[in-house]
Each structure stands twice: as structure tokens, then as C-alpha cells.
Amino acid sequence: MMDIKTWNSVRLAERMRGHRVLSQFGSEGCRALAEQWEVGSAAADDLVLDADTWDRQLCWLLEGELTLALDDGAATVALPADELIGAGTMAGRLEGRWSATAARPCVLARLPVARLSPWLRKLPGLQFHFPGLTPTADDEAAGSHPVLGEVPGSDLHLSLVTRAVGSLVRRAPVLLAPETPIREAARRMSEQRISSVLIGQQDHLFGLITDRDLRSRVVAQGLDIERPVMDIATLAPMCIATSAPAFHAMLLMARHNIHHVPVMDDGKVVGMVTTSDLTEHYSTSAVYLARSIHSQESLEGLVGCAGKVRDLQRSLAAAGATAYSSGHIMTAITDAFTSRLLQLGERQYGPPPVDYCWVAAGSQARQEQTAKSDQDNCMVLDNAYDEATHGAYFASLSRFVCDGLDACGYVHCPGEMMAMTDKWRQPQRRWHEYFHRWVDEPEPMALMLTCVFFDLRAVYGRAELLEDLRREVLQRTQGNRIFLAYMVSNALGHTPPLGMFGQISTARSGEHRGTIDLKHNGIVPVVDLARVYALAGGHPAVNTHDRLESAGASREVSEQAAHDLRDALEFLSTLRIQHQMRQIDQGRAPDNFLDPDTLSSFERRRLKDAFGVVQKLQQVLSQRYTAGRF
């Protein structure tokens, strides 16, 4: 696969200035737009642009060759490097539904239409080169200024964090009976100008097919088009509820590398949401980055993708995304890197000799990652595992993945709590022994380990291996007051930085003098409280916000206290993200040490209030579990 790392903004700007069309943006425009292209790669035969996403983005072929084809296969066109397709281009004026596929490995740059159309007001002559593009109402209202000076990759229309999935459904579902011939399904898709149809009866969903299914499962295989459509359908597809936040749909697509998700309302299918529906509202899309990650064929390609992770974090911060949604989105990208490395590793070392589950721990498990994250992971192997027979395979695979994650910016865990460490790569029976010992004999090291390994989430492989383990652990911890007392005592080692009279107390000496540690003295205490609530109540949630919500609903803590803690966590996490983004913009390594003097008086009051909430609930938990224990 070609190396995309060399395609930085400087090289892109230079290439634009020499391009027959893009040079029309002038030096100023080339510099501004060079920061906004999303560069990625495609393997041979990968779909680069389909009919539904055609008008949403401009696609520039930097290296390689594309094949442009009508959906019915009646015409094909070979496109060499430097050609433009997509939003507003001459190719977009062609009759019929066209798609572009990589004829051989390619490097491509994509630009959302929202970034392109404002320039039509500034440079009207561009209309000649982009006849299918006109300024939108938003562009007219905003004038020419949005294009210059904005944060690279930021999105002016981000609403996915609050918008319901149901609001993105554009039409009633096209539902075909399972016995419908493939030919009829293709005809309906062409008539309706849609890229997918659902298969079911009486609102019961059985499966779906897409344009890609018709190409790869019918045309490429020479399949009889009179066969029933169920023969080529994806059965029991992943679905989403109408009331779910739209960013949940984006996460689903990013994690599983899918592009069509049926939308359900009380068990009834009401429509379909696609990547194009999402990217119309959120152009700097985690879906596109995840898709690029899943298409990489080498570690070098993944390292190139990793360069965009901080840009994604920056765009989320600039758009005002909540810390809760930002954490989920950033973690979905980590999951994508992990899954792709495991796939590449299995390709290199062969199929696994026994089933396994790759498990995220710590912040990745809780889906609370930022652009600055190290690794915490482990492997749960099937009990058929035999060290003498299978040990070398899993040792090689786990090291390949952990070293690959490190190369992509997810640095090795300083405490070596990673799957490449023999102790944390064990069969399920051994993990049962670990957890039994930690719960029954909660000595200091065991308590430290529980803070990492009681926050676990399956990322890849056979998830049942982890779920069976988690169920038993929660059964052992629920109501276990002795163990919980030790957990609370350990959690109180991290306290908010408040002085005797309730004032914020900063570090008095050392490298970080005059600062507060937002992570260990702000966020970690909330995470610890939520973990105790979850273990005490036997709640399966892993995300801290979700744990607090469950704890309030089950009365492990009052609903008001749970609400206050969620608000405190959101405020502290947002401060941390903003602090790290400022450091990155200044060319500094991000950390967690914030100088309170850089905050406004209002922010300092809110910070003090957040610390006060955490301190109060730590005291309540201490009185409940540890009073008189010694």
C-alpha cells in the first residue's frame, strides 16, 4: 500500500498550485484548503465513491488509478492520477448513477462540499470548473470568511451529539420480501436511486443488501439474478433506535466498518441511515477515518492514519462536542486501529489456533479516551489453550499489535499491563483465578490491579469469553462489603485539590508547581466512585457516565448526587481536552497539569464547585464502607 504520510499540507498546497483546476483557488486558497483535505488510501477494488455520497465531497486522486462505472455496468471510464470526481465536478453532470472504484492501490484526498462551496462567492470563476456546485444558504449567510482562519477540520454543522437518529431518516424504508428476485431488487434500487434495500415482511427485518453486494456477490460471482435476494443479503444486520443520538450511529459504523444501518422504532423498521446522511452534518467524520484505517494493508499505512487522530480531537473540541461524546468517538478510532492490527497480525501469523478475545482495559474500556492515551489491554483465551502448543502464536500476535499501537501513538503501558505481557494473556480459567484472588484477598497490589482490570470491554474476537467472566465477577462483588470497603479506601488515595477552607490548592513545588492535576485529582476520583457504585450494585456498565446513571436509578447513590457527579465529570473532562488542545496547537506535548490562573473567574468557581461535589461524595462513601473497619 502506498505511503500517505508524505502527503502533508505543504505538499498538498504545492500540488494544488500546479493543478489545472485547483490552481484557480490562488495561493491563499491553496494554503487554506491544503489543511482541510482528508488524505487516505484505497486498496485495489475498494469502493472510493458511490452514487449516494457523490455530491457530498470532492475527491482528488493523488496516486493510482480509478475506474468510474455506471451501476448497471453499461459503461466504465479509467481515470488517471490528478483527476477530480465528486461534488460539483464535470463528472458529476453525467447521466445515471456512477461509482468510483480503485483499479489499483490509490492515495486520495477528500474535501467535504461544505468546505468547497463558500469559495464560489469569493472566486465566481470557479463555477466554470464546478458546474454542479452552487453556494448554499448557509454559505450566503456566512459570507466568505468561514473558509479562512478556522480550525483545520472543524465542522460548522456538528449536531450529531444531540440530534436523534430518526431525524436523519429521509424516506420510508424500501422493504422487499425474502423471495424477491435479485433482478427485481436491483431494478427497485435503480428506480428509487438508493444504495440499499431492506429484506423483511410485515415490518419484521431479516436482512439488507447494498450496491456493493450486487457487485461483489452477484456480478463478480456470475450469480443467477433470478435467485431470491435472501441468497445475497446480510442477515440480522446491526440496527439502531430512532431515539438514539446520531453519534451512536456514527460509532456503530466506525467500529464495525459498515455504511448502512437500519433504524428501528419499537421493533418496527422505519428507514435507513447511511454514512452520507451522517457526513452531510458532520464532514470531518470519524466514519471516514475508521474506514481509512480498515482499508490499510500495512503498519506504515496505519501510522499515516494516526496522524489525523489529534486533528479529529481538535475538530470535536472546536465544534463544542461534549466530553462524553468525544470520548466515545476517540475510543472508536482506537478500537479501529486495534481491530485492523489484529487482522493484519492474523494474516501474517495465520489463523488463531484457539478462540480469543482482545480486551481493552482502563480508559479505552470506559470509552473515555483523549488524543493523549497509553495502552491498557489483555487477552482472554479459550480454555482449550495449551501453552506449549499455542503460546508462541499468541505471544507473536500480541506483540505485533501492542508494538503497532505504540507506533500509532498509543504508547506502551509503563506498568506493562498489556496483552504482550505473559501474565495478561491467559485462558479464561486463569482469569477467573485472578479475579477470585483479587476479590477474596484485596491486598494493595490487587486493589491497584482491580482499578485497571475491573474496567474491561471486548474489542475483537469472541466476546463471550469476556462476558462470562464479567458476569461472575459482578456476582462476587455485589454486596461484598469487606471487598468494597477496601476498594473505597484505595479510591480515597486520589482526592480533589481543595485546601482546609475549600479553596483550590495547587502544587507547591516540583516541575508542575502552581498547577492542578486534572486527571489524578479530578477525573480519577469520579471514575473510582462510579466503579465502586457499579461493583456494589452489580451493574454491567463500564463507561463512567453510564455507571453513574445506573447507580442513580438503582439508588446506590441519590439521583441528584449521580447527576451532580456526571456534571462534574463532564466539566473536568472538557477542561482537560481544551487544555491539551491548546498545548498541541502551541507545539507542546499534551499533559494534565492546568494552571488555574489561565481560567476565567466563572470557570474557577465551577472548578471549585466540581471538586466540592467529588469531595462530599467521597466522604459519604467513606462513612458508609470504611468507618470503624480497623
Side-chain angles (χ1 to χ4, degrees):
M1 183 60 65
M2 299 176 177
D3 185 4
I4 65 173
K5 291 184 295 182
T6 60
W7 288 100
N8 54 34
S9 59
V10 174
R11 186 179 179 191
L12 284 170
E14 181 180 355
R15 181 77 165 259
M16 286 179 69
R17 284 191 290 269
H19 193 275
R20 60 183 180 81
V21 173
L22 299 177
S23 61
Q24 304 303 309
F25 286 92
S27 295
E28 178 188 35
C30 289
R31 282 196 305 273
L33 288 172
E35 297 282 352
Q36 298 176 30
W37 290 100
E38 293 284 339
V39 180
S41 59
D45 299 324
D46 277 359
L47 179 65
V48 170
L49 206 58
D50 61 24
D52 288 328
T53 59
W54 194 279
D55 293 331
R56 310 297 183 199
Q57 58 185 299
L58 178 66
C59 188
W60 178 18
L61 179 61
L62 297 171
E63 299 180 52
E65 182 180 333
L66 297 178
T67 299
L68 197 63
L70 273 170
D71 280 2
D72 61 8
T76 61
V77 179
L79 297 179
D82 250 6
E83 287 291 334
L84 299 171
I85 57 173
T89 60
M90 293 297 292
R93 311 299 288 173
L94 299 172
E95 292 293 328
R97 288 171 55 83
W98 293 79
S99 61
T101 305
R104 53 190 177 89
C106 296
V107 176
L108 305 114
R110 302 174 190 268
L111 188 69
V113 66
R115 298 283 179 255
L116 181 62
S117 56
W119 284 90
L120 297 182
R121 295 186 75 253
K122 187 179 182 70
L123 302 169
L126 288 172
Q127 191 72 49
F128 175 81
H129 298 287
F130 298 98
L133 196 65
T134 56
T136 64
D138 287 343
D139 300 331
E140 294 288 348
S144 59
H145 67 277
V147 179
L148 296 175
E150 65 185 294
V151 177
S154 67
D155 197 310
L156 303 175
H157 308 289
L158 177 63
S159 61
L160 296 187
V161 295
T162 56
R163 186 166 186 163
V165 168
S167 68
L168 300 179
V169 175
R170 299 182 175 190
R171 63 173 78 201
V174 177
L175 192 68
L176 302 181
E179 65 272 13
T180 303
I182 294 171
R183 180 202 296 273
E184 174 62 17
R187 186 186 66 80
R188 290 286 297 276
M189 290 168 68
S190 181
E191 285 181 352
Q192 298 284 334
R193 297 181 63 82
I194 52 177
S195 61
S196 61
V197 292
L198 300 168
I199 312 300
Q201 284 182 325
Q202 299 179 342
D203 298 321
H204 294 293
L205 180 64
F206 301 151
L208 64 84
I209 66 166
T210 67
D211 279 343
R212 191 165 193 169
D213 294 329
L214 293 176
R215 287 194 300 273
S216 61
R217 299 179 181 179
V218 180
V219 178
Q221 302 298 323
L223 199 66
D224 181 1
I225 59 176
E226 298 304 329
R227 291 177 64 170
V229 73
M230 278 293 282
D231 287 358
I232 64 165
T234 297
L235 303 180
M238 294 180 178
C239 301
I240 195 164
T242 56
S243 58
F247 91 88
H248 283 184
M250 182 180 68
L251 291 177
L252 192 66
M253 294 178 185
R255 287 195 182 115
H256 300 284
N257 196 27
I258 57 178
H259 313 300
H260 301 78
V261 178
V263 180
M264 311 294 288
D265 185 13
D266 195 24
K268 177 182 177 181
V269 61
V270 297
M272 182 86 78
V273 64
T274 69
T275 52
S276 60
D277 296 325
L278 293 173
T279 54
E280 178 178 0
H281 300 278
Y282 183 29
S283 55
T284 309
S285 176
V287 177
Y288 277 123
L289 180 53
R291 182 190 297 178
S292 179
I293 291 167
H294 283 292
S295 71
Q296 299 307 313
E297 298 295 329
S298 67
L299 175 59
E300 291 71 24
L302 290 174
V303 171
C305 292
K308 297 186 179 298
V309 172
R310 286 185 176 178
D311 288 340
L312 177 60
Q313 178 83 80
R314 186 185 291 109
S315 72
L316 291 166
T322 64
Y324 175 75
S325 60
S326 180
H328 278 72
I329 292 168
M330 297 301 292
T331 304
I333 298 304
T334 309
D335 291 353
F337 278 113
T338 304
S339 297
R340 189 56 181 158
L341 282 165
L342 283 161
Q343 292 164 357
L344 293 175
E346 289 183 5
R347 184 182 301 176
Q348 179 169 329
Y349 299 109
V354 298
D355 286 343
Y356 72 91
C357 182
W358 185 278
V359 180
S363 62
Q364 185 183 357
R366 296 192 304 271
Q367 300 179 85
E368 294 167 2
Q369 288 195 302
T370 66
K372 181 187 186 304
S373 297
D374 57 7
Q375 294 181 51
D376 289 306
N377 49 58
C378 60
M379 290 182 86
V380 180
L381 307 171
D382 188 272
N383 283 331
Y385 171 81
D386 175 73
E387 171 65 25
T389 308
H390 310 135
Y393 174 89
F394 287 107
S396 297
L397 178 65
S398 59
R399 178 165 290 280
F400 175 85
V401 175
C402 291
D403 287 348
L405 288 170
D406 182 72
C408 290
Y410 303 95
V411 298
H412 287 139
C413 173
E416 298 187 343
M417 294 180 187
M418 297 174 290
M420 64 186 248
T421 304
D422 293 347
K423 185 176 182 178
W424 309 128
R425 188 181 66 253
Q426 294 291 334
Q428 189 189 58
R429 61 178 178 274
R430 179 61 59 83
W431 280 102
H432 279 292
E433 293 171 5
Y434 286 166
F435 281 106
H436 290 178
R437 185 166 67 250
W438 294 339
V439 173
D440 296 340
E441 304 172 21
E443 44 84 25
M445 176 57 73
L447 290 170
M448 187 273 288
L449 293 173
T450 60
C451 291
V452 177
F453 290 113
F454 277 18
D455 297 351
L456 298 176
R457 182 174 56 84
V459 172
Y460 187 88
R462 187 178 157 202
E464 294 87 349
L465 291 170
L466 175 64
E467 297 313 312
D468 292 346
L469 183 65
R470 280 182 52 78
R471 271 193 299 272
E472 183 178 340
V473 169
L474 288 172
Q475 288 172 0
R476 294 180 70 87
T477 62
Q478 186 174 6
N480 187 334
R481 292 188 62 84
I482 295 176
F483 168 73
L484 292 170
Y486 278 101
M487 284 289 290
V488 171
S489 180
N490 185 68
L492 296 179
H494 294 112
T495 57
L498 292 177
M500 183 178 300
F501 301 104
Q503 299 302 312
I504 294 175
S505 177
T506 61
R508 296 182 178 180
S509 60
E511 179 185 357
H512 304 294
R513 179 182 178 183
T515 68
I516 53 175
D517 186 339
L518 285 173
K519 179 180 178 180
H520 291 99
N521 297 120
I523 295 170
V524 168
V526 183
V527 171
D528 288 344
L529 285 170
R531 184 184 299 110
V532 171
Y533 296 147
L535 294 174
H539 303 307
V542 179
N543 175 265
T544 301
H545 181 284
D546 296 344
R547 280 174 165 172
L548 292 172
E549 200 166 60
S550 297
S554 67
R555 310 303 293 177
E556 285 297 324
V557 65
S558 72
E559 289 191 13
Q560 183 60 57
H563 193 163
D564 289 346
L565 275 175
R566 293 199 304 272
D567 286 350
L569 176 64
E570 177 65 30
F571 178 69
L572 292 168
S573 299
T574 299
L575 274 186
R576 180 190 182 200
I577 291 171
Q578 292 172 342
H579 167 67
Q580 291 181 351
M581 288 304 99
R582 284 194 297 270
Q583 290 179 310
I584 290 172
D585 288 341
Q586 295 164 4
R588 298 160 55 196
D591 60 32
N592 300 299
F593 300 99
L594 174 71
D595 180 354
D597 290 341
T598 62
L599 303 176
S600 68
S601 297
F602 176 74
E603 288 174 321
R604 283 196 296 273
R605 285 195 298 272
R606 287 197 66 189
L607 182 60
K608 178 183 172 182
D609 289 344
F611 287 150
V613 167
V614 178
Q615 185 182 69
K616 177 182 177 181
L617 287 166
Q618 282 187 328
Q619 292 168 353
V620 170
L621 207 59
S622 175
Q623 292 168 4
R624 181 188 303 175
Y625 284 106
T626 65
R629 182 168 63 84
F630 298 106

